[in-house]
Structures are given as structure tokens and as C-alpha cells.
Amino acid sequence: MALVVKKFGGSSVASTDKILNVANRVLNDKHPDDQVVVVVSAMGDTTDDLISLAQGIDDQPYKSSYSREMDMLLTTGEQVSIALLAMAFQKLGQPAISLTGSQIGMHTSSNHTKGRILSIDPARVIHELDKGKIVVAAGFQGIDKHGDPVTLGRGGSDTSAVALAGALKADSCEIFTDVDGIYSADPRIVKGARKMREITYYEMLEMARLGAGVMQPRSVEVGQHFNIPIHVRSTFTDTPGTIIREDYTMEEQGFIIRGVAHDEKVAKFAILGVPNQPGVAHKVFAALSDANIDVDMIVQSIRNVEQDITDIIFTVEQNYVAEAKAVIEGVAQKLRALGVEIDEDVAKVSIVGAGMLGAPGVAAKMFGALAREKVNIEIISTSEISISCLIKADRLRAAVNAIHNEFFPID
Ligand code: ADP
Ligand code: ASP
Ligand code: MG
């Protein structure tokens, strides 16, 4: 007997036909004694549609004052898909029950729209499995100490599934999606992207953090925490996908870079002409932190030698531009800055790979590919295993392809 957790993303359950297809597939793969938990996302673009609905009330629905109501709204998406999938199983003769985030015991922090899982008490899940039912669990949602629904950030069903697999000590965790594995770049952007058989948690986490939306970054961290291999594979074919695990078991570790990631949901802020004094950067970033706004790339540069003023430039997630603007304009006024500029037409392209540690020339190779494509770099940032460049959004596709061709030449 095995206990298996399978997660199906929005495109896999986009219609009732697809929901029936998922139910059939799960039953075909199920051995008689298996206990099965299926985690699902909302149908198709439901979450985006719900956000658009909220924009009909206010075009900035991600303001922190709305975040509780946003969660109340967004959690409805998964409630629809779990009910339909449980009905699909029953129609096929398989006892099944749908459970919300609260019913699976998914306890989260109270920071709405960006909740963190604090603990899972899967007693109800185990009880239903022991009765011979398939449990269909809502992804993306949990409940806080006040009993309010909280969502886990976009793409959060991946994290629900991996965390549930950890809490249940499941024998396997499969993430079914509309691609048949993890590729060296988003296959929608790079035609020649290469499928990987394996990738480490470390590298996948960096790819995901830098925009590879196939897995939510937090889900990879949770997988690493529980040391659960995560199998990312296609809903629509039987081909083996990619295993995310602690270390390589095959020869794949030879690559200098594993992949190219990109992120379009970025906005650049520049606070121009602030005093070049201790404590100024602290004032700016403390104000953003107090407003719960994550900052990504940061650059501070001296304007010119005559004046003792600097520009502070940084990026934030596009959803938080309105909130960040209000915070930054307040700080800029207090610091008597010369002005604030905001550019939403930017994007970030990154290369990722543990092999670049100690390998000279990797950055030069990336910048060379961008130079030949005449893509201007606005900000560069690095981590131990990645290099990122902020560029104009309309050059993103060309940039991703140029960098990919440089590191993974077509043979
Ligand atoms: P789901 O709805 O199943 O959660 P997502 O849309 O969240 O699916 O994630 C799957 C998508 O991730 C793919 O369609 C693909 O375009 C995108 N993606 C981005 N980077 C990669 C990558 N490196 N490898 C595979 N897919 C990627
Ligand atoms: N439905 C949620 C979203 O669109 C969660 C998920 O798909 O993982 O972000
Ligand atoms: Mg997803």
C-alpha cells in the first residue's frame, strides 16, 4: 500500500471534461490498496478572473487594506474545482470527498495573500483515507488563528501539495501540469529548451525564485525541508517528467548553467538625488518593509562628484507598485529627494546553475549574448548560483533566446 499525493494545476482542470479526465487518470494509475490525496487548483484562469472582478471595485485590489477580502474571494476558485473533482470520482464509482484548506488542517500565518504554512493537522484527511475515500484537497488555501481563509501566494497549490505530502509522510508527490517536466527555459518562450531528468532543490528554488513559474518557490523549500522528491510531469501524457531532489543521481551535474529564467512582473523604482549619508537607505527600505513590500534588486549610485547625493534604485513585484509608490513618495519628501521615477516596462532575465560557482567567464558570456542582441542592461544582480539582468520588457523574448542559445547551443 502506498500513500500518494498528486497535484493538478489550473490548466489540467480547466473544464468539466478535463476534470473527468483527471479523475480517470488518477484511477488508472491507482493500485487497489493505494491511498490517494489529490490537490487541485482553481479551474483554468479562475484566479485571474476573480482578481479582475475585484479590479471592478478598485483597480488596486492588492492594497493591504483589502487583503482579507481578497483571500475570501480567491479561495472560492479552489472550492469549485474540489467539489467537481470529488463528484467526478463518485460518478466513476470511486468514493471521494472534497476538503477545504481549513478541513485539511492547513494552518497559516495571518498575512493575507502571502500566507505561510505554520503547521498541518491532517487528522481528517487520514480519517477519510482510512474509510477508503480519495481525498480531494483545495490547494492555495489555509486558515489562520482567527479562522479566516488565507491564500499562499500565486501558484500556491504546489506548496499545499508538497506540504501535505510531508505532513502525511507520503510515498510520492507528483505535480501534474501542462508541460512534461522542467526545461532549461520556459518552453513557451524558447522553442529549443531542453527537458531535464533531474534538478536539485537548490537550483530549482533559484529558478523558481527568479520567475520559472512552473513551481512556486516555497514548494521547493518545503520539499527540501521534508526531503521529498517532487516529480513534475504532464497531465496529458504518461512520459516521465523531472524529479526535483537533493542531489543528482545521473550525469547531469556537468552543466555550468541549468537554465534561463525570466520574470515579467517587475517594476523599477528610482529615488533620485537623496543625501549621501548614513541611514538614508535604511529609511527607504524600512518604510517598504513596514508596508510588507518585498524588494528585489537594489542599486545605489553616486550622481556626480560635485554633489553629495545619490540615486537609490530597486525593483518590486508589479502587484505592489501602487502601495510602494505611496510609501516611496512619502519617504522621498522627507529626505528632500529630487524626484521619484517608476518604470513598469521592465523585466528580469537570469541564468541559474550551481556549476557557475568558481567557473570564470559565465557573466561575460551572458552579457556578450545580450550585447550581440543589442539589449541594454539596466541593473545587474548576482547570487551564489545566479546572475540576473533587468532589461526593457519588450526585449525579453529576444534576450531569453539569445542567452539560451549561448549556453545551450543547438547541435
Ligand atoms: P499549473 O496551472 O499546472 O500550476 P503553471 O502555469 O503554474 O501550471 O506552470 C506551468 C507553466 O510553467 C508552463 O506552461 C510553462 O510555460 C511555465 N514555465 C516557466 N518556466 C518553465 C521551465 N523552466 N520549465 C517548464 N515550464 C516552465
Ligand atoms: N489558483 C491559484 C493561482 O492561480 C493557485 C495555483 O494555481 O497554484 O495562483
Ligand atoms: Mg502553477
Side-chain angles (χ1 to χ4, degrees):
M1 185 182 82
L3 199 166
V4 299
V5 173
K6 295 167 184 273
K7 178 255 171 179
F8 291 85
S11 48
S12 308
V13 292
S15 63
T16 45
D17 282 350
K18 287 189 169 163
I19 288 176
L20 281 161
N21 170 55
V22 165
N24 269 310
R25 164 147 203 175
V26 170
L27 293 182
N28 283 340
D29 292 351
K30 180 180 178 301
H31 299 110
D33 288 344
D34 283 353
Q35 295 194 312
V36 182
V37 177
V38 184
V39 175
V40 271
S41 300
M43 293 171 72
D45 296 329
T46 300
T47 307
D48 290 330
D49 296 344
L50 291 169
I51 294 169
S52 304
L53 210 53
Q55 280 167 334
I57 302 290
D58 185 324
D59 62 358
Q60 298 299 333
Y62 272 98
K63 272 185 201 150
S64 50
S65 54
Y66 295 136
S67 59
R68 180 187 180 279
E69 304 315 324
M70 280 299 278
D71 278 350
M72 196 59 93
L73 178 69
L74 297 185
T75 47
T76 63
E78 273 68 14
Q79 208 162 318
V80 172
S81 51
I82 54 169
L84 292 173
L85 182 55
M87 286 164 71
F89 281 121
Q90 289 173 20
K91 160 114 178 141
L92 297 172
Q94 165 66 49
I97 184 168
S98 63
L99 297 176
T100 62
S102 144
Q103 291 168 318
I104 61 171
M106 180 76 70
H107 298 285
T108 68
S109 60
S110 290
N111 48 331
H112 286 286
T113 73
K114 300 184 201 174
R116 301 266 297 189
I117 299 173
L118 299 178
S119 63
I120 302 180
D121 172 8
R124 175 81 188 270
V125 176
I126 294 167
H127 180 67
E128 301 297 346
L129 289 172
D130 287 345
K131 285 201 282 189
K133 292 187 185 172
I134 286 186
V135 170
V136 183
F140 184 47
Q141 54 176 265
I143 191 161
D144 75 356
K145 58 176 189 266
H146 309 294
D148 288 338
V150 175
T151 60
L152 305 177
R154 296 304 307 268
S157 300
D158 299 328
T159 306
S160 308
V162 179
L164 206 47
L168 291 165
K169 299 192 174 53
D171 297 293
S172 71
C173 178
E174 292 166 294
I175 304 289
F176 290 86
T177 183
D178 60 355
V179 272
D180 61 359
I182 314 281
Y183 280 73
S184 54
D186 187 341
R188 285 192 220 182
I189 304 267
V190 177
K191 290 284 159 280
R194 299 182 190 189
K195 185 168 141 186
M196 306 173 197
R197 283 182 292 180
E198 299 178 304
I199 183 168
T200 59
Y201 296 120
Y202 187 34
E203 289 171 309
M204 188 61 227
L205 177 58
E206 194 70 351
M207 289 274 287
R209 204 180 60 77
L210 294 169
V214 58
M215 290 296 287
Q216 196 195 39
R218 186 78 189 122
S219 69
V220 185
E221 279 177 332
V222 173
Q224 183 163 32
H225 173 78
F226 287 110
N227 199 13
I228 307 167
I230 306 169
H231 188 179
V232 180
R233 57 189 310 190
S234 166
T235 304
F236 309 106
T237 69
D238 269 339
T239 46
T242 304
I243 313 277
I244 309 171
R245 54 159 47 113
E246 188 59 37
D247 214 343
Y248 293 104
T249 60
M250 291 173 268
E251 75 287 357
E252 300 199 37
Q253 67 267 44
F255 293 102
I256 289 181
I257 83 155
R258 292 293 287 162
V260 183
H262 69 273
D263 190 352
E264 292 170 273
K265 299 191 192 92
V266 190
K268 182 179 82 171
F269 277 70
I271 313 178
L272 306 174
V274 291
N276 187 18
Q277 285 165 6
V280 168
H282 173 251
K283 283 200 180 84
V284 171
F285 295 107
L288 288 164
S289 150
D290 290 345
N292 209 7
I293 298 168
D294 291 333
V295 174
D296 183 16
M297 303 169 114
I298 301 176
V299 177
Q300 178 174 314
S301 63
I302 303 288
R303 293 211 112 201
N304 62 48
V305 277
E306 278 99 58
Q307 291 171 293
D308 206 12
I309 54 177
T310 71
D311 295 338
I312 296 181
I313 304 168
F314 57 89
T315 60
V316 301
E317 202 188 303
Q318 248 170 27
N319 278 337
Y320 297 97
V321 167
E323 284 225 286
K325 181 169 183 277
V327 171
I328 289 306
E329 284 178 345
V331 179
Q333 211 172 11
K334 281 194 202 132
L335 294 173
R336 296 177 196 283
L338 298 178
V340 175
E341 282 175 4
I342 303 169
D343 187 353
E344 292 189 58
D345 295 324
V346 288
K348 188 167 72 171
V349 57
S350 309
I351 56 173
V352 175
M356 72 173 71
L357 266 167
V362 180
K365 218 168 149 140
M366 177 186 193
F367 303 154
L370 291 174
R372 279 188 295 283
E373 200 60 38
K374 300 204 168 22
V375 175
N376 191 42
I377 303 171
E378 302 197 12
I379 304 181
I380 299 168
S381 69
T382 62
S383 81
E384 229 178 21
I385 61 161
S386 67
I387 303 171
S388 303
C389 297
L390 193 76
I391 60 172
K392 282 277 170 248
D394 61 359
R395 301 307 321 279
L396 183 65
R397 189 170 273 269
V400 173
N401 276 284
I403 295 168
H404 193 273
N405 287 344
E406 186 72 30
F407 288 96
F408 301 93
I410 300 152
D411 20 57

